[in-house]
DNA sequence: CAGTGAGCGAGCTTCCGCTTGACTT
């Protein structure tokens, strides 16, 4: 018979705590929420907002187990997290398990240490119903918004779409950034840099002019002037500067830094972090707190002392600035600071290393720098050249950790860091060695990537640590946005160079503004966003979440009744839903008329169809059925022209026959193809499907045939599952539907491979740890 | 990475926030 049952949210936590509490306590986990609104039904009575909860099927077994353990125990300790969701979990547990106030105690702790837990046991409290109600309000509001808006989209735009308080605003950010970029007009300017000689040693001084020129003409005039100008050091100012370390990791900052430094996606970061957490190497990975336990601070101190000496220690307490932070956990940190390295996959080791360094750096001294600015006067001119140098006097935390920042503009600026100015003195005359005027273009604002979107959402207080990664995957699954690379724009850049008395002009072609892994809105995303923005501007407002959060806080403090808050919201919201549904848009949402088809005289339009964006010729009112064509991936309903739209109807077309069967040119999911006798062959991009000749098409068919014959290199009597095949990247092994790359040297003798050799390759591949992603190179200059 | 290839016709889809396995590939 068990005396005490403790219930926490996470099984990893349960394991640790059980060790601290001894044998009188059994510790189990609820695995998060155990009860929720019904999955497929609205489950809210809109008359009084009573929610209808159910235990999801996959939780029934667990709940039964908890129930039977609770019945056996004298006291049940509800130890879910100390935030809104945690309080609600405790409440649902007490309801579902049929707990009584006499035998139930609610406890909370902020760190998983023996003293903290014993302290919590000594100071139990009751379930805070106000906080529970704040959670119910949050849950019910999200359900109302999601389950009322989504069906409107099914009806007005496309089936299976979705809308919600968080995801719709995330899409809005991306759509609006794209519009900003479209409207952006790049401006040119000329930046002037100079290299001077100082003194007899001819030390070089690099400097930049403190103004830019708008045109080549102005820049040229300035350089002409410099031919005869005098340069003199007017002022040298030195001032100390400090840099302070960044706060320890939260979920959001970990995702950002892992993206920058390790090239991880946010989902990848969370998966690896989960592994580290489960194996006891780091603290909980879904947190919005920057707080570190006293235990950790002490451990940091010791580690720093040993590593770099006492001078490097500076213990700090960080405070969160994030909107709506609930701080139920610590910051993400190593469990044991004295463990600088861990065993594990390469990804695990690298992420751990990042966390360790960030944590330790947060408790290290400021870096002390000295910045020197020399002003160089130009005779007869107001503008001056400025030369800066920066020296690190004391590295402090920089010894272990540098924070990376998003898309810093003007990357051609050389860093001042570590650059020392040569000896010089005020009044000194300088000779110009080389002065350049370089043409520059202003850059459009950067598109969001996963990590920078998370950062923005966090700033707006939208979403929680546990939802950042799922939100990003949802908006991609719904095809509101896609992750893609954007090629840069090739630009000609002029440079005027003054060397001695000679002024020359150079032209250089460079690609600017290349972006990788950026989030780009699709047509569907744009249409849905514009639609929601028009009919539900309140929900789409960037401050909507922040405002309802204020109301949830009032509920938590007992100032308001939660159902009143729901009533208030619903009385405005519901009529808008009704109105939108009744609205006869007359045409489909997002539809655009392109013009008339010269052949038939029918209207040509684009819209979001049942399967995505389509071109339509004719209307349903016409006698003949309208014709449809899916638009290509590189086209958009916002920009497609009438001519481009009509092109799409030229396929499929039959261009002749081959071996008695029709040769048809079409376009499918994977691009243009040739179809002959049920055989599909892709058309390479250097051939135009609209003009391809019968001869070219038959050649493609014959090529494919030959390839297929050559594809099969070897099979084995031992098993039909194993084959050696020839693919487009050379020979490979295929075994039970999986493919394996051949090791070096095997390719040449692919046809002679034995059964044993192949199986060895397969088992070896299976034992290999997960593939490592290539590290991005940040130091490389363009 | 390893080879793929369309077009509704009924019924279904959907939210956010807590947590991990148990499934298939």
């Amino acid at each position: 018979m068990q005396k005490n049952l403790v219930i926490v949210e996470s099984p990893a936590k349960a394991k640790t705590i059980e060790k601290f509490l001894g044998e009188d306590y059994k510790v189990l986990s609820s695995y998060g929420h155990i009860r929720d609104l019904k999955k497929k039904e609205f489950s809210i009575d809109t008359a009084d907002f009573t929610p209808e909860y159910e235990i999801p099927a996959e939780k029934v077994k667990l709940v039964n187990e908890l129930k039977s353990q609770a019945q056996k125990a004298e006291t049940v300790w509800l130890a879910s997290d100390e935030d809104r969701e945690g309080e609600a979990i405790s409440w649902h547990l007490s309801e579902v398990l049929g707990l009584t106030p006499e035998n139930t105690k609610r406890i909370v702790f902020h760190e998983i240490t023996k003293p903290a837990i014993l302290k919590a046991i000594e100071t139990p409290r009751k379930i805070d119903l106000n906080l529970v109600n704040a959670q119910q309000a949050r849950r019910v509001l999200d359900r109302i918004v999601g389950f009322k808006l989504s069906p409107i989209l099914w009806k007005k735009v496309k089936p299976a779409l979705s809308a919600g308080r968080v995801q719709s605003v995330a899409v809005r950010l991306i759509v609006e950034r794209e519009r900003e970029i479209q409207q952006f007009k790049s401006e040119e300017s000329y930046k002037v840099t100079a290299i001077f000689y100082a003194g007899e040693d001819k030390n070089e001084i690099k400097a930049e002019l403190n103004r830019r020129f708008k045109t080549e003409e102005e820049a040229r005039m300035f350089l002409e002037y410099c031919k005869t100008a005098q340069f003199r050091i007017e002022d040298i100012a030195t001032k100390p500067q400090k840099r302070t370390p960044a706060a320890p990791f939260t979920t959001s900052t970990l995702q950002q830094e892992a993206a920058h430094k390790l090239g991880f996606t946010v989902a990848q970061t969370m998966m690896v972090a989960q592994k580290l957490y489960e194996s006891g190497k780091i603290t909980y990975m879904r947190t919005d707190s920057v707080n570190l336990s006293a235990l950790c601070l002490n451990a940091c101190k010791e580690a720093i002392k040993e590593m770099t000496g006492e001078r490097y220690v500076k213990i700090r307490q960080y405070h969160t600035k994030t909107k709506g932070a609930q701080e139920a956990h610590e910051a993400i940190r190593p469990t044991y600071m004295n463990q600088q390295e861990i065993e594990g996959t390469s990804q695990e080791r690298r992420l751990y290393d990042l966390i360790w360094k960030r944590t330790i750096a947060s408790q290290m001294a400021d870096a002390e720098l000295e910045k020197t600015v020399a002003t160089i006067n130009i005779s007869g001119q107001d503008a001056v050249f400025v030369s800066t140098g920066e020296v690190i006097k004391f590295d402090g935390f920089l010894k272990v950790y540098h924070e990376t920042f998003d898309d810093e503009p003007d990357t051609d600026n050389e860093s001042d860091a570590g650059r020392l100015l040569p000896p010089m003195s005020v009044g000194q005359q300088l000779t110009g060695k080389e002065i350049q005027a370089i043409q520059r273009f202003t850059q459009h604002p950067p598109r969001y990537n996963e990590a920078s979107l998370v950062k923005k959402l966090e700033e707006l207080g939208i979403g929680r640590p546990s939802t950042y990664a799922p939100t990003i995957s949802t908006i991609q699954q719904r095809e509101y946005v896609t992750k893609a690379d954007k090629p840069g724009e090739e630009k000609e850049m002029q440079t005027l160079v003054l060397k001695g008395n000679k002024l020359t002009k150079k032209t250089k072609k460079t690609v600017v503004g290349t972006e990788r892994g950026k989030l780009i809105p699709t047509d569907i995303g744009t249409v849905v966003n514009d639609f929601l923005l028009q009919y539900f501007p309140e929900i789409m407002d960037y401050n909507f979440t922040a405002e309802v959060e204020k109301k949830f806080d009032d509920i938590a403090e007992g100032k308001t009744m939660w159902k009143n808050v729901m009533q208030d919201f619903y009385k405005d919201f519901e009529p808008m839903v009704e109105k939108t549904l009744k609205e006869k848009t007359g045409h489909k949402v997002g539809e655009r008329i392109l013009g008339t088809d010269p052949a038939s005289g029918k209207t040509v339009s684009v819209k979001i169809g049942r399967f995505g964006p389509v071109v339509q010729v004719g209307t349903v009112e016409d006698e003949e059925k309208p014709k449809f064509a899916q638009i290509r991936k590189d086209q958009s309903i916002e920009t497609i022209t009438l001519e481009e739209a009509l092109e799409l109807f030229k396929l499929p077309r039959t261009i002749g026959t081959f071996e008695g069967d029709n040769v048809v040119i079409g376009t499918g999911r994977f691009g243009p193809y040739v179809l002959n006798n049920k055989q599909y062959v892709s058309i390479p991009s250097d051939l135009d499907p609209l003009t391809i000749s019968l001869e070219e098409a038959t050649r493609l068919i014959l090529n494919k045939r030959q390839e297929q014959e050559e594809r099969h290199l070897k099979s084995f009597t031992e098993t039909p599952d194993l084959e050696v095949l020839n693919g487009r990247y050379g020979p490979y092994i295929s075994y039970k539907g999986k493919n394996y790359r051949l090791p070096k040297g095997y390719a040449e003798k692919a046809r002679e491979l034995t059964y044993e050799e192949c199986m060895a390759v397969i088992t070896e591949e299976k034992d290999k740890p997960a593939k490592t992603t290539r590290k991005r190179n940040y130091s490389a200059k363009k």
Side-chain angles (χ1 to χ4, degrees):
Chain A
M1 172 63 114
Q2 201 67 45
K3 271 182 117 165
N4 297 284
L5 173 66
V6 182
I7 304 176
V8 295
E9 288 183 39
S10 140
K13 213 170 172 178
K15 235 167 76 189
T16 320
I17 293 170
E18 195 150 50
K19 275 187 261 165
F20 294 142
L21 285 174
E23 48 190 40
D24 281 347
Y25 291 81
K26 184 175 185 77
V27 186
L28 292 178
S29 156
S30 74
Y31 292 80
H33 279 292
I34 53 143
R35 202 164 69 155
D36 191 12
L37 299 174
K38 290 185 175 176
K39 210 173 154 193
K40 305 227 166 189
E41 288 167 37
F42 189 58
S43 307
I44 297 159
D45 179 349
T46 50
D48 69 346
F49 301 98
T50 303
E52 193 183 342
Y53 292 115
E54 71 171 7
I55 298 162
E58 69 271 17
K59 289 264 177 165
V60 169
K61 206 175 141 200
L62 169 78
V63 169
N64 285 338
E65 171 67 12
L66 290 173
K67 215 181 263 178
S68 86
Q69 293 293 336
Q71 272 157 12
K72 286 187 210 157
E74 276 172 34
T75 310
V76 177
W77 304 79
L78 299 174
S80 49
D81 298 345
E82 191 186 26
D83 58 11
R84 206 159 61 198
E85 300 297 328
E87 203 68 19
I89 288 171
S90 280
W91 176 73
H92 281 298
L93 281 168
S94 84
E95 294 267 303
V96 170
L97 306 184
L99 306 180
T100 58
E102 299 79 59
N103 68 5
T104 309
K105 287 174 173 157
R106 167 80 170 117
I107 52 167
V108 292
F109 35 83
H110 301 105
E111 45 178 90
I112 317 220
T113 58
K114 196 168 176 177
I117 286 151
L118 295 179
K119 176 91 191 297
I121 296 271
E122 280 165 29
T123 52
R125 59 172 175 82
K126 288 201 159 47
I127 291 174
D128 180 350
L129 283 176
N130 289 330
L131 200 52
V132 172
N133 288 337
Q135 192 274 346
Q136 297 203 83
R138 200 279 305 153
R139 182 68 190 91
V140 166
L141 180 116
D142 281 337
R143 173 54 67 90
I144 294 175
V145 171
F147 274 41
K148 289 287 177 190
L149 292 191
S150 301
I152 300 180
L153 296 178
W154 305 343
K155 195 174 164 200
K156 301 274 179 183
V157 185
K158 183 175 159 341
L161 293 178
S162 66
R165 174 176 58 83
V166 173
Q167 57 168 287
S168 297
V169 177
V171 173
R172 181 180 174 192
L173 284 166
I174 295 164
V175 171
E176 287 189 345
R177 176 59 56 85
E178 198 66 24
R179 294 235 162 96
E180 264 178 70
I181 292 169
Q182 275 163 16
Q183 275 153 31
F184 182 82
K185 294 250 181 329
S186 181
E187 280 174 19
E188 65 158 2
S189 68
Y190 282 79
K191 165 180 150 172
V192 183
T193 60
I195 300 170
F196 294 108
Y197 284 141
E200 282 164 17
D201 299 341
K202 298 221 163 180
N203 286 317
E204 284 188 355
I205 301 173
K206 287 181 179 169
E208 186 180 330
L209 195 69
N210 67 349
R211 62 162 293 194
R212 288 188 176 202
F213 297 105
K214 282 222 158 57
T215 63
E216 185 185 330
E217 208 34 53
E218 283 177 48
R220 183 181 291 276
M221 273 167 62
F222 175 78
L223 290 190
E224 288 289 349
Y225 183 87
C226 283
K227 281 183 180 171
T228 55
Q230 304 279 309
F231 306 100
R232 183 178 152 272
I233 296 180
E234 189 178 73
D235 183 43
I236 302 170
T238 303
K239 54 180 172 192
Q241 284 192 329
K242 270 190 178 177
R243 253 179 238 165
T244 49
F249 278 134
T250 60
T251 302
S252 136
T253 52
L254 178 69
Q255 289 172 347
Q256 289 159 45
E257 284 287 277
H260 283 140
K261 291 205 161 78
L262 311 177
F264 289 4
T265 64
V266 299
Q268 223 178 346
T269 301
M270 294 314 283
M271 268 171 56
V272 178
Q274 176 91 30
K275 281 271 178 301
L276 292 173
Y277 168 67
E278 282 169 11
S279 54
K281 296 194 177 76
I282 61 167
T283 55
Y284 197 56
M285 64 283 153
R286 291 187 276 265
T287 175
D288 52 21
S289 170
V290 286
N291 189 51
L292 295 176
S293 72
L295 196 78
C296 171
L297 294 180
N298 222 2
C300 286
K301 195 169 165 181
E302 292 310 313
I304 298 164
K305 263 195 213 169
E306 194 178 311
M307 184 177 61
T308 48
E310 185 132 30
R311 197 179 163 215
Y312 280 85
V313 176
K314 185 171 180 192
I315 298 304
R316 310 160 193 260
Q317 274 300 347
Y318 292 86
H319 301 284
T320 184
K321 279 174 255 160
T322 349
K323 258 191 216 173
Q326 307 202 7
E327 306 203 71
H329 305 93
E330 263 188 85
I332 303 170
R333 61 159 175 96
T335 325
Y336 307 106
M337 283 313 294
N338 56 5
Q339 200 176 359
Q340 191 172 346
E341 278 170 359
I342 55 154
E343 306 267 300
T345 64
S346 136
Q347 291 194 346
E348 285 165 20
R349 289 200 309 268
R350 286 159 72 209
L351 192 69
Y352 182 86
D353 181 63
L354 193 67
I355 296 170
W356 190 86
K357 284 180 174 159
R358 175 88 165 210
T359 310
I360 202 107
S362 79
Q363 301 307 322
M364 289 178 76
D366 292 344
E368 289 165 28
L369 313 156
E370 193 177 81
K371 189 166 188 172
T372 306
V373 178
T375 315
I376 300 159
N377 194 310
I378 311 156
S379 59
Q381 288 268 337
D382 287 337
V384 290
F385 278 104
V386 176
S387 180
T388 57
E390 197 175 77
V391 188
I392 296 178
K393 289 284 178 189
F394 174 60
D395 53 1
F397 77 95
L398 290 178
K399 207 173 194 84
V400 293
Y401 194 87
H402 274 272
E403 198 177 1
T404 326
F405 296 96
D406 286 324
D407 304 285
E408 282 158 16
D410 226 356
T411 42
D412 55 84
N413 271 350
E414 273 181 63
S415 162
D416 291 336
R419 209 170 84 190
L420 195 61
L421 292 185
M424 55 175 101
S425 53
V426 173
Q428 191 177 1
Q429 294 284 335
L430 302 175
T431 44
K433 183 191 172 200
E434 190 177 305
I435 305 178
Q436 290 194 342
I438 309 153
Q439 190 180 25
R440 286 283 169 246
F441 297 93
T442 51
Q443 293 286 303
H444 64 69
R447 292 182 171 86
Y448 288 105
N449 57 28
E450 291 190 356
S452 64
L453 182 66
V454 168
K455 186 179 178 187
K456 185 70 187 176
L457 288 172
E458 188 189 35
E459 278 168 21
L460 294 168
I462 298 170
R464 304 278 310 131
S466 66
T467 60
Y468 294 136
T471 300
I472 284 187
S473 92
T474 299
I475 61 177
Q476 290 180 75
Q477 267 172 24
R478 300 274 174 277
E479 292 181 52
Y480 291 149
V481 306
T482 52
K483 203 158 72 174
D485 297 342
K486 272 275 172 181
E489 202 186 331
E490 191 173 273
K491 286 216 164 172
E492 271 191 2
M493 298 216 225
Q494 316 295 339
T495 307
L496 300 172
V497 185
L498 177 68
K499 229 175 186 170
N501 261 337
K502 223 176 108 195
L503 187 59
T504 50
K505 180 173 163 177
K506 285 190 282 189
T507 303
K508 202 169 65 171
K509 273 188 187 168
T510 354
V511 178
V512 290
T514 312
E515 292 186 296
R516 301 191 148 273
K518 293 304 178 87
L519 299 172
I520 299 166
T522 61
D523 278 337
I524 300 171
T526 310
V527 166
V528 166
N529 176 67
D530 293 355
F531 174 76
L532 291 173
L533 209 51
Q534 184 185 346
Y535 291 96
F536 300 94
E538 288 81 7
I539 308 291
M540 297 296 282
D541 194 297
Y542 291 129
N543 289 318
F544 177 69
T545 290
E547 273 157 26
V548 292
E549 282 288 343
K550 270 186 229 148
K551 291 177 187 155
F552 298 154
D553 285 347
D554 287 345
I555 298 167
E557 285 165 32
K559 290 193 216 156
T560 333
M561 305 286 283
W562 80 271
K563 290 186 173 178
N564 290 350
V565 173
M566 291 301 100
Q567 179 63 51
D568 243 27
F569 167 74
Y570 198 67
K571 78 169 184 345
D572 296 333
F573 180 72
E574 201 272 338
M576 292 168 66
V577 171
E578 289 306 313
K579 192 181 152 237
T580 311
L581 281 170
K582 268 187 217 142
E583 188 105 347
K584 286 230 166 51
T585 31
H587 55 87
K588 246 336 237 193
V589 170
E591 189 181 54
R592 200 162 73 88
I593 308 288
L594 298 181
T596 36
D597 173 22
S600 63
K602 287 181 178 174
T603 308
V604 181
S605 60
V606 280
K607 66 175 187 187
I608 305 293
R610 183 90 173 64
F611 304 104
V614 285
V615 183
Q616 180 178 349
V617 178
T619 61
V620 279
E621 288 86 39
D622 295 347
E623 227 170 274
E624 255 182 289
K625 267 193 179 176
K627 282 195 295 178
F628 294 93
Q630 197 91 24
I631 75 168
R632 285 202 315 262
K633 258 204 178 119
D634 57 330
Q635 295 173 321
S636 154
I637 60 169
E638 285 199 346
T639 53
I640 194 168
T641 63
L642 180 62
E643 290 71 31
E644 287 164 345
L646 291 172
E647 288 264 292
L648 297 170
F649 289 93
K650 293 183 179 161
L651 294 177
R653 65 193 183 104
T654 307
I655 56 171
T657 57
F658 174 63
E659 294 176 349
D661 287 300
N662 279 341
V663 177
V664 179
I665 308 297
T667 178
R669 285 195 281 162
F670 311 108
Y673 61 82
V674 180
L675 174 61
N676 174 248
N677 190 19
K678 293 175 196 158
Q679 224 355 292
Y680 288 93
V681 188
S682 285
I683 299 177
S685 54
D686 56 320
L687 288 174
D688 184 352
L690 292 177
T691 58
I692 191 168
S693 65
L694 182 62
E695 192 188 325
E696 285 166 328
T698 40
R699 196 159 52 223
L700 288 175
I701 295 166
L702 291 171
N703 277 349
K704 170 107 179 186
R705 240 181 238 178
Q706 193 180 348
E707 252 173 47
Q708 291 207 324
E709 271 164 29
E710 285 168 3
R711 193 169 103 87
H712 194 91
L713 296 182
K714 198 165 194 309
S715 41
F716 298 86
T717 47
E718 286 86 346
T719 165
D721 293 335
L722 183 67
E723 286 178 298
V724 181
L725 301 174
N726 200 10
R728 92 180 140 123
Y729 304 96
Y732 64 98
I733 295 173
S734 168
Y735 181 63
K736 293 194 173 175
K738 269 194 158 189
N739 299 316
Y740 301 87
R741 179 197 300 267
L742 287 180
K744 269 194 187 125
Y746 274 42
E748 291 73 26
K749 54 167 195 167
R751 281 174 199 279
E752 289 96 53
L753 285 176
T754 65
Y755 175 74
E756 286 73 25
E757 279 174 320
C758 290
M759 292 314 286
V761 171
I762 291 163
T763 43
E764 196 173 314
E765 193 68 29
K766 272 184 182 155
D767 293 344
K768 263 190 197 168
K771 248 190 285 173
T772 56
T773 39
R774 215 168 292 135
K775 197 171 177 175
R776 279 203 249 167
N777 191 352
Y778 291 98
S779 53
K781 281 204 174 149
K782 283 176 198 161

